[in-house]
Amino acid sequence: MKLAMIGFGQAGGKIVDKFVEFDRGTGCDVVQSAIAVNTAKADLAGLAHVPERNRVLVGQARVKGHGVGADNELGAEIAEADIGEIQGALDEVPVHEIDAFLVVAGMGGGTGSGGAPVLANHLKRIYTEPVYGLGVLPAADEGGIYTLNAARSFKTFVDEVDNLLVFDNDAWRETGESVRGGYDRINEEIVRRFGVLFSAGQIDGEGAVAESVVDSSEIINTLACGGVSTVGYAHEGVDPATGGLLGRFSDDDLDATETTNRITSLVRKAALGRLTLPCEVRSTDRSLVVVKGPSEYLNRKGVEKGRKWLENETASMEVRGGDYPTRGAGEVSAVTLLSGVTDVPRIKDLQQVAVETQDNIENVREESDERLEQLIHDDAGELEALF
């Protein structure tokens, strides 16, 4: 799948930067264009793989290149005011060569959570290609303001994109892990999962051909239901010497029945294991499974059996599947895309935060109005006493 990726804000820019690095390292050629947009000059300067000409600094008249300080309303205002500067970078995107746009943003910061929905709305008005979002939810220990930003902007982002792929930091942070180390590892997890998904269907340099092809149209049709999506991933080494998870695949044991069962087991682990956004799998509208690895370790029957299992697990008839053969890979991996999920505890929590925040704002406003009226009444009484 050919993508134009736009990272909005610090987290979005870093993830897109990591995507470009992954793309070059694997030779998948998924990222046709990479753009980073930020209100903080230092964040843009820290990127290593996004071309300098595609690093767009916005809001200079308002914040002088110092960021918006987690103020997502200001982030949205700046994005709207400077959309022309962003469009200047978009004009260089080879639109005729891409299948979709992907807007990547952290939902807790000010620039990304405020600006990403604005950009998505702009892209949908200007272009006919699908516009997807990749939103990263903040962990609970990152601070209340970040959770509040995510609660405020999440629904807006969902409404503005054709589908929002979500990664929840709260489900991935490890105890005792440093903040920087945690973010670096999480970004690698994001890129590994979504990188395998989006690279499905790409022909590698040595011409490996899939038995059951998953091309960009399969991914687009899976995401066409809209709403929120999550991705699962599992892998095993093809040789015990590689140190894979279980090391069950080996050159001496390529029995077709064994291979089929192992592929099905990988699909189960991907769907029922650690999802980018934990959810009730049965609430899935549409889904897709991709099995990647050396062609000799893949077979159509195994992929089809895994697809059938996922169909039963999600109770959905719209389940697509295929293989993605790669030469020289040291592992077999499975990626499951669960699209249009509705039973998601984390989203329910965010919605509750948004409702409580709105109620608090209204209560504060009412109290302020009452205090103002009381002050006016007291001042009027004092004036009457004077005269």
Side-chain angles (χ1 to χ4, degrees):
M1 189 172 189
K2 306 290 189 181
L3 296 171
M5 293 188 176
I6 305 103
F8 217 116
Q10 183 185 49
K14 286 185 175 180
I15 292 169
V16 168
D17 204 54
K18 184 69 72 174
F19 262 116
V20 176
E21 181 183 16
F22 175 87
D23 203 47
R24 291 173 180 169
T26 59
C28 293
D29 199 29
V30 169
V31 184
Q32 297 299 292
S33 182
I35 299 170
V37 183
N38 211 317
T39 57
K41 190 174 182 179
D43 291 341
L44 291 175
L47 302 178
H49 304 285
V50 174
E52 286 193 25
R53 67 180 182 279
N54 289 350
R55 303 177 194 179
V56 183
L57 182 64
V58 294
Q60 295 184 68
R62 299 282 297 274
V63 297
K64 315 298 183 185
H66 300 303
V68 298
D71 185 342
N72 66 350
E73 291 184 1
L74 178 56
E77 290 173 9
I78 287 174
E80 290 174 353
D82 290 0
I83 198 68
E85 294 184 35
I86 302 172
Q87 183 61 51
L90 292 171
D91 288 339
E92 302 300 317
V93 173
V95 179
H96 60 286
E97 297 179 3
I98 69 170
D99 298 305
F101 289 93
L102 181 67
V103 181
V104 186
M107 303 304 295
T111 301
S113 68
V118 174
L119 175 59
N121 176 276
H122 175 77
L123 291 171
K124 290 187 71 174
R125 287 191 296 107
I126 302 296
Y127 302 99
T128 58
E129 287 73 18
V131 178
Y132 303 125
L134 173 50
V136 181
L137 296 177
D141 61 359
E142 291 182 44
I145 183 62
Y146 299 105
T147 299
L148 180 55
N149 280 343
R152 285 173 169 171
S153 62
F154 187 84
K155 185 178 185 303
T156 304
F157 203 8
V158 171
D159 290 342
E160 295 295 356
V161 295
D162 291 296
N163 198 298
L164 182 61
L165 302 143
V166 182
F167 192 98
D168 183 9
N169 280 353
D170 212 33
W172 288 82
R173 286 284 296 276
E174 295 181 357
T175 304
E177 191 172 41
S178 69
V179 173
R180 181 171 181 176
Y183 287 148
D184 288 344
R185 181 185 58 78
I186 284 171
N187 288 348
E188 290 176 0
E189 298 285 0
I190 292 171
V191 171
R192 181 182 299 116
R193 283 156 175 74
F194 290 102
V196 172
L197 172 65
F198 291 128
S199 61
Q202 299 297 110
I203 303 299
D204 71 11
E206 298 182 353
V209 179
E211 289 189 51
S212 180
V213 177
V214 173
D215 58 20
S216 59
S217 65
E218 299 287 321
I219 300 174
I220 290 171
N221 286 335
T222 303
L223 295 172
C225 61
V228 173
S229 294
T230 180
V231 170
Y233 175 84
H235 68 100
E236 291 183 7
V238 299
D239 189 304
T242 66
L245 283 179
L246 297 179
R248 296 192 306 171
F249 290 95
S250 68
D251 291 331
D252 297 327
D253 185 16
L254 289 178
D255 178 80
T257 302
E258 272 304 297
T259 304
T260 297
N261 292 337
R262 290 170 181 175
I263 288 174
T264 305
S265 177
L266 271 182
V267 173
R268 289 172 60 95
K269 289 178 186 176
L272 300 179
R274 208 173 187 184
L275 297 170
T276 60
L277 177 68
C279 71
E280 172 53 57
V281 173
R282 209 162 183 81
S283 70
T284 303
D285 189 335
R286 303 180 185 183
S287 57
L288 171 75
V289 58
V290 178
V291 182
K292 175 184 177 181
S295 56
E296 61 267 30
Y297 297 94
L298 307 178
N299 64 41
R300 181 187 295 271
K301 187 175 181 181
V303 175
E304 180 61 20
K305 189 174 179 181
R307 190 194 66 79
K308 281 288 187 183
W309 174 86
L310 190 58
E311 186 176 292
N312 291 331
E313 192 69 19
T314 60
S316 168
M317 296 301 292
E318 291 202 54
V319 180
R320 297 168 174 83
D323 61 312
Y324 176 29
T326 55
R327 298 184 188 277
E331 64 180 29
V332 175
S333 58
V335 170
T336 55
L337 168 61
L338 307 180
S339 182
V341 293
T342 54
D343 190 352
V344 186
R346 184 75 158 98
I347 294 178
K348 292 177 181 177
D349 291 343
L350 285 176
Q351 290 171 337
Q352 184 61 35
V353 169
V355 169
E356 290 175 356
T357 300
Q358 186 60 40
D359 290 342
N360 289 337
I361 290 173
E362 291 177 0
N363 290 337
V364 169
R365 185 176 295 127
E366 289 175 1
E367 290 177 3
S368 297
D369 290 343
E370 290 175 359
R371 289 174 183 171
L372 180 59
E373 289 178 6
Q374 186 62 45
L375 285 172
I376 293 172
H377 181 270
D378 292 344
D379 288 344
E382 290 177 5
L383 288 171
E384 287 179 4
L386 287 172
F387 294 98

